[in-house]
Amino acid sequence: MTAIQPLTRHERMRWPRSLVALVIARAVNRLGSFAMAFLAVTLVEVHGASLTTAGAVVAAFGLATIPSRLLGGWLADAVGRRPTIVVGLVACAAAQLVIAASPGVIGALVGATLLGLAYEIYEPASQALIAECVEPERRPQAYGLYGAAMAVAGVAAGALAAILGGVDLRLLFVADALTCLCAAALVLALVRDTSRPRSSRDRSGASPWRDRRLLTMLALGTGFATAWILSTVALPLTVSARGHDAAATGWLLLVAALATIAGQRLLRGAAGRPFPLMRAGLALMAVGFAVIAYAAPLPLLGLGCAIVALGEVLLLGPPIALVAGLASDASRAGYLAAYGTCWGIAQTIGPMLATGLMSLGTPIVWLAGVGLCLVLAAVTAAVARICSPR
């Protein structure tokens, strides 16, 4: 398959061992990371919660991810990248098991909140480690490689979600916990932490909260993340509303993963042009949302999911590489953590917004996503003038 670059080779250069190991560990973790897409539908179908209650529980998860991301950035600089990644993964596994074992909505709320507090600890450390493993000009490809490996695992994840979802939705959270523990073991065994202790690092790194470029990227990222969360929460509910069982969502996730793999070609030559790629990604997401808004047969839903996935390829790696380039070594994890709070903000407002719009009619939530993506695409030129690295 020519769309995927080998893990140990790119442009006749070997990838660093730590990067390869981190990519493999992330792929293993990805095998179970579909569970959160099913949290709202689990609450509704297993525990009998209303759409409003389900949205509130998922929003509690999202709110908890904001301090989680900031904690992850602090830990990455204070104690190192590898121990931070391991702690985050183990804590996620424990919280997933709480959700799986919960007898009702209250237990699920506790588990979701605990999961949120652990969920983002992993990301700043892993993203900073990738940036420090490769040269700046290769960062977009490195983050693309990271995404490609996740997409490869996502193919198997979609099939696994279809099988387990058809048996018991709570098994999805058990599977996610197991993959978190396996990924932690791989990182502990194979990833070498090259970061220095905080006491010997430059403490004068710039604050991301005073950097206009970072704050502008955070605003743009929050918009994109909100659109993505709308689709994540709405897809299983839409599939159910149109007469398909939970297993159908798993197959749609598989289709999206295959599209993500094919879309890696779009990242070739990404260095130096992140904003045109982001604008194209937002346009693709808008088209995909429009298809899903009115599609009922599974093939049409699959087409919409594939188009959205192609857009997401252009909206994940390039922005992260750009943010990593805004920071010095001493402040990189802090910058990435600050930027990553866009996901926590979106996880907080997106579920309530999605379930509220769903109550007005299934197409409404998807059309709202179309509008949001088009507005974001229209402002990327202005954002580019502010955020281009100096």
Side-chain angles (χ1 to χ4, degrees):
M1 186 178 295
T2 58
I4 302 299
Q5 296 293 325
L7 289 180
T8 56
R9 179 171 178 154
H10 182 77
E11 297 177 356
R12 298 184 180 180
M13 298 176 67
R14 294 179 64 86
W15 291 111
R17 176 183 171 184
S18 288
L19 174 61
V20 175
L22 188 62
V23 167
I24 294 171
R26 190 56 161 160
V28 170
N29 183 223
R30 170 64 175 159
L31 289 173
S33 61
F34 48 71
M36 281 310 300
F38 290 87
L39 180 57
V41 74
T42 299
L43 291 166
V44 171
E45 295 189 2
V46 175
H47 298 303
S50 66
L51 281 175
T52 301
T53 299
V57 172
V58 180
F61 162 81
L63 184 62
T65 65
I66 298 175
S68 172
R69 173 76 70 152
L70 297 175
L71 175 62
W74 180 82
L75 284 174
D77 283 332
V79 302
R81 315 307 193 207
R82 185 176 67 171
T84 299
I85 292 170
V86 172
V87 166
L89 287 169
V90 172
C92 280
Q96 295 274 13
L97 293 176
V98 171
I99 295 175
S102 298
V105 175
I106 298 301
L109 172 61
V110 171
T113 303
L114 291 173
L115 181 61
L117 291 171
Y119 202 74
E120 296 289 346
I121 291 175
Y122 180 109
E123 291 296 343
S126 62
Q127 291 170 358
L129 187 59
I130 290 173
E132 292 159 1
C133 280
V134 300
E135 301 82 359
E137 63 272 14
R138 301 183 75 203
R139 285 173 185 163
Q141 289 83 7
Y143 287 117
L145 176 66
Y146 199 56
M150 291 176 66
V152 172
V155 175
L160 185 59
I163 295 169
L164 295 179
V167 178
D168 188 330
L169 289 169
R170 288 170 291 191
L171 290 177
L172 298 171
F173 297 94
V174 176
D176 200 352
L178 292 175
T179 61
C180 284
L181 293 175
C182 290
L186 286 170
V187 170
L188 197 60
L190 301 176
V191 173
R192 189 172 73 176
D193 194 342
T194 57
S195 60
R196 291 174 289 168
R198 193 183 185 95
S199 59
S200 65
R201 292 172 66 90
D202 178 9
R203 294 174 181 265
S204 64
S207 168
W209 305 109
R210 298 179 181 177
D211 192 325
R212 183 187 179 200
R213 299 166 301 166
L214 186 282
L215 295 178
T216 304
M217 283 299 298
L218 174 59
L220 182 65
T222 299
F224 154 64
T226 300
W228 189 87
I229 294 298
L230 284 178
S231 67
T232 299
V233 174
L235 182 61
L237 297 171
T238 300
V239 170
S240 177
R242 291 177 180 168
H244 305 291
D245 59 20
T249 302
W251 295 118
L252 292 177
L253 294 176
L254 188 152
V255 169
L258 290 172
T260 300
I261 295 170
Q264 294 305 308
R265 284 182 177 273
L266 301 176
L267 288 176
R268 291 185 176 180
R273 56 188 188 98
F275 291 101
L277 290 175
M278 284 187 265
R279 188 159 49 247
L282 288 163
L284 282 170
M285 284 189 67
V287 172
F289 286 170
V291 172
I292 297 172
Y294 296 104
L298 273 180
L300 281 180
L301 287 169
L303 175 63
C305 289
I307 296 172
V308 170
L310 289 176
E312 290 171 356
V313 168
L314 303 179
L315 287 162
L316 292 175
I320 296 173
L322 189 151
V323 170
L326 297 178
S328 65
D329 289 344
S331 59
R332 182 165 292 116
Y335 264 65
L336 290 166
Y339 173 72
T341 60
C342 67
W343 291 98
I345 296 169
Q347 282 277 13
T348 303
I349 64 177
M352 294 294 291
L353 182 60
T355 53
L357 292 172
M358 283 285 291
S359 67
L360 301 176
T362 300
I364 299 299
V365 65
W366 297 102
L367 295 178
V370 170
L372 178 57
C373 288
L374 293 178
V375 169
L376 293 172
V379 303
T380 52
V383 173
R385 288 194 292 271
I386 298 171
C387 299
S388 296
R390 297 172 186 141

